[in-house]
Amino acid sequence: MNESEIPPDGRPVDVYLDLLRLRMDTEDFHRLLSVVEPVLRAIDEERLPTLDFALDGEDAAELPQEIRDEAALVIATAVTGRLDNEVIEIHIDDSGPVRVVTDAATASDPARLGEIADYLRERHRQNEELRGIAEASGLPTDF
């Protein structure tokens, strides 16, 4: 779907949610809504920095990967206003695969994916270094 197909009074995220409502099982759709509605409200109220994303918490472990992926795509659509977002998996050496939401052009560009992988590797290295410092200092390491 492209921008010209979105009704003039519709937001891309609403269009995407309507498509998901048609495509998903009712129970799964309601589970998805329970995850994304607080985030969408926070985006509308411009209070995102204080919001904990439910996709990373303990509750997320109970959600099937497909619902977590769709939730990430709904949030990305709300933030970017684009309907061409994709969830991709980037394999990072010792830390394992990382799921990332990006636009379709980036998802199909090996050079750009390499840059993202490099960034993720460096971020992982920094987190491990900070975790070691926190542990040696007797501070919590669950950041």
Side-chain angles (χ1 to χ4, degrees), residues 47-105:
R47 60 178 176 85
L48 258 184
T50 62
L51 183 71
D52 248 351
F53 285 95
L55 300 179
D56 294 329
E58 291 177 23
D59 295 338
E62 297 174 15
L63 289 175
Q65 187 63 53
E66 180 183 345
I67 293 176
R68 291 193 321 223
D69 287 352
E70 288 297 351
L73 290 170
V74 168
I75 294 165
T77 301
V79 171
T80 66
R82 297 176 63 135
L83 292 167
D84 69 338
N85 298 303
E86 295 181 25
V87 175
I88 58 169
E89 196 169 87
I90 297 179
H91 295 275
I92 308 297
D93 310 323
D94 58 341
S95 65
V98 176
R99 298 178 84 72
V100 177
V101 176
T102 188
D103 61 273

Side-chain angles (χ1 to χ4, degrees), residues 88 90 102 106-118 120-121:
I88 58 169
I90 297 179
T102 188
T106 300
S108 64
D109 182 349
R112 193 65 186 108
L113 293 178
E115 292 172 7
I116 294 169
D118 290 344
L120 292 172
R121 280 186 201 93

